[in-house]
Amino acid sequence: MARLFRLVRQAAAAFLCVFTVLRRDPLECVGASCSLESREENHRDTLQLGRKLLAKIQDGGAPASQTIISSHEAAKSDNRRTEGGVNNEGALPSAVSPKPAPLSTPEKPRCTEKKRGEIVLKGERHSGTNFIERILQFNTSNLNTIAGVKGSAKFGWKHAFLPPLGGKGRPFDPSTETLVVITRDAFTWLAKMMEQTYDPLMNAKRAGGFSAFLRAPYTNICQDDVGTMKGEDVCETAANLIQARTLKYKQWLSDDPDRATYVGSREAFLQSRLHVRLEDVANRDDGATTRRRQRKFLADALRERCVQARTANEFRAVTYKTTHSMTPWHKKIDATKETKQMLAKYTKEDLRFVLSQLDLEFEREIGYEYSYVHDMLNAK
């Protein structure tokens, strides 16, 4: 009788553990984030956790009330490690190698309260700024405004330099603002710029063909907050489009930014900045994997920077294209197919020229190796 009573008590304790875990991490879905994959994943994790806790109780381990939190956190940690292994599944050619660590890795800020303020997007044209903005709209709270398509009252055009080189010259405040910098593989980006540069001077240079366009001097007419050209004054110049891209990303991602770029401490500014590669969040495989990637590289990363964002069960992924007017194209992104089509525009001479104009050490620092370009050059 005593043995039966002991077994019943152990089963009740295990049920209490599983019930508590479910209460701590509810299986609720919001909008498009309600997926069979996410529900099954949570059920599997919960059952596995229940078995572990029951075995621990039967072995005479700590009482259930002392094991619930630590075991639940351990399970979430296991999930994060598992998700970290999918970063390069189905990756674009430029993402064959893992993303290297940045030059500096500032400590994560301690979030005593959620940040209220502006999420400022910076990225070149055709780098996925509209796509990222749509994901953020779905997955961040109304505590934050997103300075994307409509521009920023403080920083102006999203494709322009940060202060003091561009925008309105007003410094970035990391206590209320979060900077999201979006990069894209240089070779696929250049092919997209050939289609549309959003600048009449550069568009005119497309008439000579792709090879001439790559080598043409870069100019850009001044833009206001929302990307509307103001007169014919030129605000940006460079030897070519490739070098213009490098100059912007070196400023946006500098570990030693100009003191006029921010207020407060340099460390706080670096902590508030998030670098996102388009290749890490674009839909290039099954939807469930894309959802995990977008959650990891955007929502999870923003929460580390004290921005309120949806958690795993609530996260809403975006797998369709988004135009500059934020109108969705109701077809899914096939990034691998698009990449092949864009790379077909290049001759071997073009590939060598682009490589000669890139700062390859900097490209490696932000996660682009371009080994696939050397393979194209070596192909017969």
Side-chain angles (χ1 to χ4, degrees):
M1 191 68 181
R3 176 179 174 83
L4 178 61
F5 178 75
R6 186 167 58 254
L7 290 174
V8 171
R9 187 177 62 183
Q10 290 171 348
F15 175 79
L16 176 62
C17 293
V18 174
F19 178 76
T20 304
V21 170
L22 286 172
R23 289 295 301 272
R24 284 172 55 84
D25 198 5
L27 300 177
E28 297 177 353
C29 294
V30 178
S33 68
C34 187
S35 66
L36 177 62
E37 292 88 353
S38 63
R39 292 196 298 270
E40 290 178 345
E41 180 181 353
N42 278 280
H43 282 302
R44 286 195 300 269
D45 293 342
T46 302
L47 290 174
Q48 182 180 10
L49 175 58
R51 294 190 188 102
K52 289 180 179 179
L53 293 175
L54 179 58
K56 186 168 185 178
I57 294 169
Q58 290 174 338
D59 290 340
S65 61
Q66 296 179 12
T67 61
I68 292 173
I69 296 178
S70 61
S71 298
H72 182 59
E73 293 302 320
K76 291 200 295 185
S77 178
D78 289 342
N79 288 341
R80 286 194 292 267
R81 288 194 294 270
T82 301
E83 290 177 3
V86 301
N87 291 355
N88 294 308
E89 292 178 9
L92 296 178
S94 61
V96 172
S97 301
K99 181 180 177 181
L103 287 179
S104 65
T105 308
E107 293 183 2
K108 297 176 183 177
R110 294 183 179 180
C111 301
T112 56
E113 60 182 21
K114 296 300 180 184
K115 188 182 292 188
R116 297 172 180 266
E118 195 169 47
I119 299 175
V120 181
L121 303 183
K122 286 293 181 181
E124 256 297 1
R125 292 147 285 184
H126 299 294
S127 65
T129 55
N130 296 331
F131 178 64
I132 300 296
E133 181 180 357
R134 178 53 60 94
I135 298 173
L136 297 181
Q137 286 177 341
F138 286 153
N139 295 288
T140 57
S141 77
N142 57 9
L143 296 176
N144 306 102
T145 57
I146 304 169
V149 169
K150 295 181 179 180
S152 166
K154 191 170 184 179
F155 298 104
W157 195 37
K158 63 182 177 179
H159 307 306
F161 287 97
L162 283 168
L165 299 180
K168 297 187 174 182
R170 298 167 63 184
F172 187 94
D173 184 356
S175 67
T176 58
E177 295 156 351
T178 305
L179 177 62
V180 179
V181 180
I182 304 150
T183 58
R184 180 178 186 163
D185 173 289
F187 288 86
T188 63
W189 175 74
L190 287 165
K192 291 295 290 184
M193 287 293 283
M194 177 64 181
E195 296 175 11
Q196 175 61 267
T197 69
Y198 301 105
D199 181 88
L201 299 180
M202 288 303 297
N203 278 344
K205 296 175 183 179
R206 298 178 299 168
F210 188 48
S211 295
F213 176 72
L214 294 175
R215 294 160 174 80
Y218 170 76
T219 54
N220 194 83
I221 292 177
C222 300
Q223 309 268 352
D224 64 12
D225 293 357
V226 294
T228 302
M229 285 164 284
K230 300 183 297 183
E232 298 181 355
D233 293 336
V234 172
C235 286
E236 297 177 357
T237 62
N240 52 56
L241 194 57
I242 307 156
Q243 292 191 23
R245 170 187 175 275
T246 300
L247 289 171
K248 288 186 179 182
Y249 281 115
K250 280 189 173 182
Q251 196 224 18
W252 294 332
L253 292 171
S254 174
D255 287 336
D256 188 21
D258 190 294
R259 191 62 186 86
T261 301
Y262 60 92
V263 296
S265 71
R266 169 180 168 273
E267 289 72 21
F269 171 74
L270 296 179
Q271 288 172 350
S272 71
R273 186 179 65 193
L274 173 62
H275 171 212
V276 180
R277 298 192 314 163
L278 178 62
E279 293 79 12
D280 286 330
V281 295
N283 184 43
R284 55 179 180 266
D285 40 37
D286 64 279
T289 303
T290 298
R291 182 175 182 272
R292 287 195 295 269
R293 284 193 179 123
Q294 292 182 3
R295 190 185 77 213
K296 174 183 177 180
F297 290 108
L298 287 170
D300 293 353
L302 284 172
R303 281 199 303 276
E304 291 176 353
R305 290 156 177 81
C306 309
V307 175
Q308 185 172 334
R310 289 180 186 264
T311 55
N313 295 324
E314 301 173 328
F315 186 82
R316 182 176 175 182
V318 175
T319 57
Y320 51 79
K321 287 190 174 182
T322 307
T323 68
H324 67 276
S325 62
M326 297 304 290
T327 302
W329 295 2
H330 292 288
K331 68 174 184 178
K332 291 199 172 183
I333 304 166
D334 188 341
T336 302
K337 181 179 179 181
E338 280 194 350
T339 298
K340 292 179 180 178
Q341 293 172 343
M342 288 185 282
L343 294 177
K345 299 179 184 289
Y346 290 87
T347 66
K348 288 190 175 182
E349 290 73 19
D350 292 337
L351 294 174
R352 292 190 185 94
F353 174 76
V354 175
L355 286 174
S356 73
Q357 298 299 300
L358 288 170
D359 183 336
L360 294 177
E361 181 179 354
F362 173 71
E363 294 293 323
R364 283 190 291 270
E365 290 170 2
I366 63 174
Y368 298 98
E369 293 285 348
Y370 303 122
S371 57
Y372 73 94
V373 177
H374 295 284
D375 292 339
M376 292 172 65
L377 289 171
N378 294 329
K380 294 182 179 179

PDB file of all heavy atoms in Angstrom, residues 347-359:
ATOM      1  N   THR A 347      30.181  38.620 -66.593  1.00  0.00           N
ATOM      2  CA  THR A 347      31.270  37.965 -67.309  1.00  0.00           C
ATOM      3  C   THR A 347      32.398  37.707 -66.308  1.00  0.00           C
ATOM      4  O   THR A 347      32.388  38.246 -65.192  1.00  0.00           O
ATOM      5  CB  THR A 347      31.800  38.849 -68.443  1.00  0.00           C
ATOM      6  OG1 THR A 347      32.408  40.031 -67.855  1.00  0.00           O
ATOM      7  CG2 THR A 347      30.684  39.273 -69.388  1.00  0.00           C
ATOM      8  N   LYS A 348      33.375  36.922 -66.685  1.00  0.00           N
ATOM      9  CA  LYS A 348      34.498  36.687 -65.775  1.00  0.00           C
ATOM     10  C   LYS A 348      35.271  37.978 -65.511  1.00  0.00           C
ATOM     11  O   LYS A 348      35.792  38.187 -64.414  1.00  0.00           O
ATOM     12  CB  LYS A 348      35.419  35.608 -66.341  1.00  0.00           C
ATOM     13  CG  LYS A 348      34.807  34.204 -66.281  1.00  0.00           C
ATOM     14  CD  LYS A 348      35.821  33.131 -66.623  1.00  0.00           C
ATOM     15  CE  LYS A 348      35.211  31.748 -66.435  1.00  0.00           C
ATOM     16  NZ  LYS A 348      36.171  30.657 -66.714  1.00  0.00           N
ATOM     17  N   GLU A 349      35.339  38.851 -66.531  1.00  0.00           N
ATOM     18  CA  GLU A 349      36.007  40.138 -66.328  1.00  0.00           C
ATOM     19  C   GLU A 349      35.252  40.985 -65.311  1.00  0.00           C
ATOM     20  O   GLU A 349      35.867  41.687 -64.486  1.00  0.00           O
ATOM     21  CB  GLU A 349      36.114  40.879 -67.663  1.00  0.00           C
ATOM     22  CG  GLU A 349      37.096  40.275 -68.660  1.00  0.00           C
ATOM     23  CD  GLU A 349      36.582  38.987 -69.286  1.00  0.00           C
ATOM     24  OE1 GLU A 349      35.342  38.757 -69.231  1.00  0.00           O
ATOM     25  OE2 GLU A 349      37.394  38.216 -69.813  1.00  0.00           O
ATOM     26  N   ASP A 350      33.925  40.922 -65.358  1.00  0.00           N
ATOM     27  CA  ASP A 350      33.123  41.655 -64.380  1.00  0.00           C
ATOM     28  C   ASP A 350      33.373  41.128 -62.969  1.00  0.00           C
ATOM     29  O   ASP A 350      33.516  41.912 -62.017  1.00  0.00           O
ATOM     30  CB  ASP A 350      31.629  41.521 -64.704  1.00  0.00           C
ATOM     31  CG  ASP A 350      31.240  42.228 -65.990  1.00  0.00           C
ATOM     32  OD1 ASP A 350      31.970  43.150 -66.405  1.00  0.00           O
ATOM     33  OD2 ASP A 350      30.203  41.859 -66.571  1.00  0.00           O
ATOM     34  N   LEU A 351      33.415  39.815 -62.823  1.00  0.00           N
ATOM     35  CA  LEU A 351      33.649  39.224 -61.503  1.00  0.00           C
ATOM     36  C   LEU A 351      34.995  39.672 -60.946  1.00  0.00           C
ATOM     37  O   LEU A 351      35.099  40.035 -59.764  1.00  0.00           O
ATOM     38  CB  LEU A 351      33.602  37.697 -61.595  1.00  0.00           C
ATOM     39  CG  LEU A 351      32.251  37.060 -61.962  1.00  0.00           C
ATOM     40  CD1 LEU A 351      32.414  35.561 -62.162  1.00  0.00           C
ATOM     41  CD2 LEU A 351      31.212  37.338 -60.889  1.00  0.00           C
ATOM     42  N   ARG A 352      36.020  39.652 -61.785  1.00  0.00           N
ATOM     43  CA  ARG A 352      37.359  40.070 -61.323  1.00  0.00           C
ATOM     44  C   ARG A 352      37.358  41.546 -60.947  1.00  0.00           C
ATOM     45  O   ARG A 352      37.987  41.945 -59.954  1.00  0.00           O
ATOM     46  CB  ARG A 352      38.390  39.800 -62.417  1.00  0.00           C
ATOM     47  CG  ARG A 352      38.638  38.322 -62.706  1.00  0.00           C
ATOM     48  CD  ARG A 352      39.837  38.134 -63.625  1.00  0.00           C
ATOM     49  NE  ARG A 352      40.007  36.747 -63.998  1.00  0.00           N
ATOM     50  CZ  ARG A 352      39.522  36.191 -65.112  1.00  0.00           C
ATOM     51  NH1 ARG A 352      38.844  36.935 -65.982  1.00  0.00           N
ATOM     52  NH2 ARG A 352      39.725  34.912 -65.369  1.00  0.00           N
ATOM     53  N   PHE A 353      36.649  42.358 -61.719  1.00  0.00           N
ATOM     54  CA  PHE A 353      36.613  43.785 -61.417  1.00  0.00           C
ATOM     55  C   PHE A 353      35.947  44.038 -60.064  1.00  0.00           C
ATOM     56  O   PHE A 353      36.462  44.811 -59.246  1.00  0.00           O
ATOM     57  CB  PHE A 353      35.867  44.549 -62.518  1.00  0.00           C
ATOM     58  CG  PHE A 353      35.673  46.003 -62.202  1.00  0.00           C
ATOM     59  CD1 PHE A 353      36.732  46.900 -62.310  1.00  0.00           C
ATOM     60  CD2 PHE A 353      34.440  46.488 -61.770  1.00  0.00           C
ATOM     61  CE1 PHE A 353      36.570  48.248 -61.995  1.00  0.00           C
ATOM     62  CE2 PHE A 353      34.264  47.827 -61.460  1.00  0.00           C
ATOM     63  CZ  PHE A 353      35.336  48.708 -61.569  1.00  0.00           C
ATOM     64  N   VAL A 354      34.819  43.411 -59.833  1.00  0.00           N
ATOM     65  CA  VAL A 354      34.118  43.617 -58.565  1.00  0.00           C
ATOM     66  C   VAL A 354      34.993  43.179 -57.394  1.00  0.00           C
ATOM     67  O   VAL A 354      35.105  43.888 -56.382  1.00  0.00           O
ATOM     68  CB  VAL A 354      32.770  42.873 -58.552  1.00  0.00           C
ATOM     69  CG1 VAL A 354      32.104  43.004 -57.177  1.00  0.00           C
ATOM     70  CG2 VAL A 354      31.842  43.427 -59.628  1.00  0.00           C
ATOM     71  N   LEU A 355      35.629  42.028 -57.513  1.00  0.00           N
ATOM     72  CA  LEU A 355      36.523  41.563 -56.444  1.00  0.00           C
ATOM     73  C   LEU A 355      37.640  42.573 -56.185  1.00  0.00           C
ATOM     74  O   LEU A 355      38.023  42.815 -55.033  1.00  0.00           O
ATOM     75  CB  LEU A 355      37.120  40.204 -56.795  1.00  0.00           C
ATOM     76  CG  LEU A 355      36.188  38.988 -56.704  1.00  0.00           C
ATOM     77  CD1 LEU A 355      36.897  37.738 -57.222  1.00  0.00           C
ATOM     78  CD2 LEU A 355      35.717  38.765 -55.278  1.00  0.00           C
ATOM     79  N   SER A 356      38.148  43.182 -57.253  1.00  0.00           N
ATOM     80  CA  SER A 356      39.244  44.144 -57.097  1.00  0.00           C
ATOM     81  C   SER A 356      38.786  45.423 -56.398  1.00  0.00           C
ATOM     82  O   SER A 356      39.606  46.135 -55.807  1.00  0.00           O
ATOM     83  CB  SER A 356      39.842  44.493 -58.465  1.00  0.00           C
ATOM     84  OG  SER A 356      38.964  45.326 -59.224  1.00  0.00           O
ATOM     85  N   GLN A 357      37.497  45.724 -56.456  1.00  0.00           N
ATOM     86  CA  GLN A 357      36.969  46.953 -55.867  1.00  0.00           C
ATOM     87  C   GLN A 357      36.446  46.766 -54.443  1.00  0.00           C
ATOM     88  O   GLN A 357      36.233  47.745 -53.731  1.00  0.00           O
ATOM     89  CB  GLN A 357      35.840  47.509 -56.749  1.00  0.00           C
ATOM     90  CG  GLN A 357      36.280  47.899 -58.146  1.00  0.00           C
ATOM     91  CD  GLN A 357      37.342  48.982 -58.133  1.00  0.00           C
ATOM     92  OE1 GLN A 357      37.124  50.077 -57.636  1.00  0.00           O
ATOM     93  NE2 GLN A 357      38.510  48.682 -58.682  1.00  0.00           N
ATOM     94  N   LEU A 358      36.229  45.522 -54.043  1.00  0.00           N
ATOM     95  CA  LEU A 358      35.736  45.245 -52.694  1.00  0.00           C
ATOM     96  C   LEU A 358      36.878  45.241 -51.686  1.00  0.00           C
ATOM     97  O   LEU A 358      38.006  44.866 -52.012  1.00  0.00           O
ATOM     98  CB  LEU A 358      35.036  43.882 -52.650  1.00  0.00           C
ATOM     99  CG  LEU A 358      33.679  43.769 -53.336  1.00  0.00           C
ATOM    100  CD1 LEU A 358      33.260  42.308 -53.417  1.00  0.00           C
ATOM    101  CD2 LEU A 358      32.629  44.585 -52.579  1.00  0.00           C
ATOM    102  N   ASP A 359      36.587  45.634 -50.469  1.00  0.00           N
ATOM    103  CA  ASP A 359      37.506  45.448 -49.350  1.00  0.00           C
ATOM    104  C   ASP A 359      37.193  44.061 -48.786  1.00  0.00           C
ATOM    105  O   ASP A 359      36.305  43.895 -47.950  1.00  0.00           O
ATOM    106  CB  ASP A 359      37.276  46.529 -48.294  1.00  0.00           C
ATOM    107  CG  ASP A 359      38.262  46.434 -47.132  1.00  0.00           C
ATOM    108  OD1 ASP A 359      38.802  45.339 -46.890  1.00  0.00           O
ATOM    109  OD2 ASP A 359      38.486  47.452 -46.448  1.00  0.00           O
TER     110      ASP A 359
END
